[in-house]
């Protein structure tokens, strides 16, 4: 779905899964600094929007999600996962309940599969599930922004900013009042700095929540049963995850960033050494320079210098080994 905000001056379209919104508006670092200073907005209107309404919505969602939402207070943001029977991550939901409806935004293109799964689990519960992507757009305001949300829209407020669920036909009008536009590359650079994983970027078909540090923020360890809980309990109580998320400072002398999927090796072993992980997201940060998130094997020493392809990389621990 192509955003109307791509008509703003300087807009350069994003590619791949983020197609449909602007990657940047002509000045990547200026846009990052604006978001870091609490000004401007990010167009996330390509993300899927799903709602659940009905008097039993929170109790029903509580049975399906990794997060404790049965008594979720109105307007309190949270995030949750849906796992496979083996505990692998299938969906990531960014949630808020307004007292009548639970709103969630999800990765672009995943909303149809999510709605299909939720519909299959309704049984006799008094809930209604809807894909609202056609008529609702997500817009992000950074932490510290003084821009006001329009009356009546759902707002998901977190330490990183506010996600607004705006009527899609009012997106252009609101954007004119929200300050300078920042592209998705600026948003992603701050996400990497904040060590926040993203479904489809830091995950693959076998990722479990412990590997990414999603325990606590998206997985509640004291709630009732849900699909995949056995894996969570087993890893939490008896074992350790096979991989761990790390933050990498990359050699700034390289012209090109190592792309996602670039293999990681121990620097002491050289570029032909044993593969110990791979880059998941790489960005250029306005203060930190080239940085990345990556998955490495759990037993890789936390202070070991690495090579991302031919690029030197130093680790910063995100998930303890």
């Amino acid at each position: 779905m192509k955003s109307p905000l791509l008509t703003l001056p300087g807009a350069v379209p994003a590619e791949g899964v983020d197609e449909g919104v602007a990657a940047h508006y002509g000045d990547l670092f200026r846009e990052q600094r604006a978001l870091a200073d609490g000004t401007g907005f990010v167009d996330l209107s390509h993300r899927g929007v799903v709602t659940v309404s009905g008097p039993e919505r929170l109790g029903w969602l509580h049975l399906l999600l990794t997060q404790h939402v049965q008594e979720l207070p109105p307007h309190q943001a949270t995030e949750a996962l849906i796992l496979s029977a083996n505990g692998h991550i299938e969906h990531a939901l960014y949630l808020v309940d307004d007292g009548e409806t639970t709103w969630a935004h999800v990765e672009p293109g995943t909303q149809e599969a999510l709605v299909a799964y939720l519909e299959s689990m309704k049984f006799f519960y008094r809930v209604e599930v809807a894909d609202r992507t056609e008529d609702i757009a997500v817009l992000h305001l950074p932490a510290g922004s003084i821009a006001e949300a329009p009356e009546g829209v759902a707002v998901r407020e977190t330490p990183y900013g506010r996600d607004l669920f705006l009527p899609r036909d009012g997106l252009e009008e609101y954007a004119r009042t929200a300050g300078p536009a920042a592209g998705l590359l600026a948003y992603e650079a701050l996400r990497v700095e904040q060590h926040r994983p993203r479904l489809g970027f830091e995950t693959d078909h076998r990722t479990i929540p412990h590997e990414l540090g999603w325990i606590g923020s998206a997985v509640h360890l004291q709630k009732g049963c849900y699909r995949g809980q056995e894996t969570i309990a087993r890893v939490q109580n008896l074992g350790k995850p096979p991989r761990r998320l790390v933050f990498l400072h990359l050699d700034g002398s390289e012209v090109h960033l190592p792309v996602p999927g670039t293999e990681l090796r121990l620097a002491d072993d050289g570029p032909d050494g044993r593969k110990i992980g791979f880059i998941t997201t790489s960005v250029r940060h306005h203060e930190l320079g080239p940085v990345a998130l990556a998955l490495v094997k759990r037993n890789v020493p936390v202070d070991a210098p690495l090579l991302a392809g031919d690029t030197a990389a130093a680790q910063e621990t995100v998930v303890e080994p």
Side-chain angles (χ1 to χ4, degrees):
M1 186 173 294
K2 187 175 180 179
S3 172
L5 302 186
L6 283 172
T7 60
L8 292 177
V12 175
E15 299 178 346
V17 69
D18 290 322
E19 183 180 2
V21 296
H24 62 85
Y25 295 89
D27 192 336
L28 172 61
F29 291 156
R30 178 191 60 77
E31 294 164 32
Q32 284 186 37
R33 286 191 290 269
L35 292 181
D37 291 340
T39 59
F41 69 89
V42 182
D43 179 9
L44 299 180
S45 63
H46 63 316
R47 291 184 64 81
V49 176
V50 175
T51 60
V52 182
S53 56
E56 298 178 331
R57 66 190 182 282
L58 291 177
W60 176 70
L61 285 169
H62 185 78
L63 299 173
L64 304 178
L65 304 179
T66 58
Q67 186 58 272
H68 196 300
V69 297
Q70 178 136 22
E71 299 172 356
L72 183 68
H75 314 299
Q76 179 175 305
T78 191
E79 55 189 70
L81 308 174
I82 290 177
L83 307 180
S84 72
N86 293 322
H88 300 141
I89 300 169
E90 291 189 345
H91 293 282
L93 295 81
Y94 299 86
L95 299 159
V96 70
D97 191 272
D98 64 9
E100 297 181 354
T101 301
T102 302
W103 297 77
H105 65 80
V106 298
E107 286 298 322
T110 66
Q111 64 271 14
E112 291 185 6
L114 173 60
V115 167
Y117 171 70
L118 294 176
E119 287 284 355
S120 74
M121 301 301 291
K122 284 173 62 173
F123 303 116
F124 54 84
Y125 288 92
R126 293 179 295 164
V127 295
E128 294 296 330
V129 179
D131 180 353
R132 301 292 303 276
T133 310
E134 290 285 339
D135 64 305
I136 299 294
V138 179
L139 184 141
H140 175 78
L141 300 174
S145 171
I146 61 172
E148 295 186 3
E151 185 176 353
V153 307
V155 178
R156 182 177 177 274
E157 186 165 2
T158 75
Y160 308 108
R162 287 175 287 160
D163 299 331
L164 278 53
F165 294 84
L166 295 168
R168 193 170 288 275
D169 58 9
L171 184 61
E172 284 184 277
E173 180 180 356
Y174 180 77
R176 287 195 290 267
T177 71
L184 203 67
L185 290 180
Y187 180 84
E188 284 288 282
L190 299 187
R191 176 183 73 82
V192 170
E193 177 194 11
Q194 295 154 356
H195 304 168
R196 293 189 289 134
R198 182 178 173 188
L199 183 77
F201 286 64
E202 279 61 58
T203 68
D204 57 23
H205 67 283
R206 59 192 181 96
T207 304
I208 60 175
H210 284 84
E211 296 177 322
L212 303 183
W214 252 329
I215 302 299
S217 64
V219 179
H220 196 286
L221 295 175
Q222 278 77 50
K223 63 158 289 185
C225 294
Y226 54 88
R227 189 174 69 174
Q229 186 191 32
E230 294 83 358
T231 297
I232 298 297
R234 185 169 59 250
V235 174
Q236 183 71 17
N237 297 320
L238 301 175
K240 298 182 183 297
R243 303 177 296 183
R244 59 184 178 87
L245 186 69
V246 296
F247 179 79
L248 298 179
H249 295 269
L250 303 171
D251 181 0
S253 65
E254 297 289 340
V255 175
H256 300 289
L257 287 171
V259 299
T262 299
E263 295 182 351
L264 291 170
R265 293 175 170 80
L266 295 173
D268 290 345
D269 294 343
D272 297 322
R274 178 174 58 93
K275 176 185 174 183
I276 53 88
F278 59 93
I279 297 286
T280 58
T281 304
S282 57
V283 297
R284 296 191 186 277
H285 191 276
H286 70 287
E287 289 183 340
L288 301 176
V291 292
L293 293 175
L295 278 175
V296 301
K297 293 183 178 180
R298 177 179 56 82
N299 58 2
V300 172
V302 296
D303 57 351
L306 306 178
L307 283 176
D310 297 325
T311 302
Q315 299 180 66
E316 188 174 305
T317 301
V318 177
V319 175
E320 294 287 345

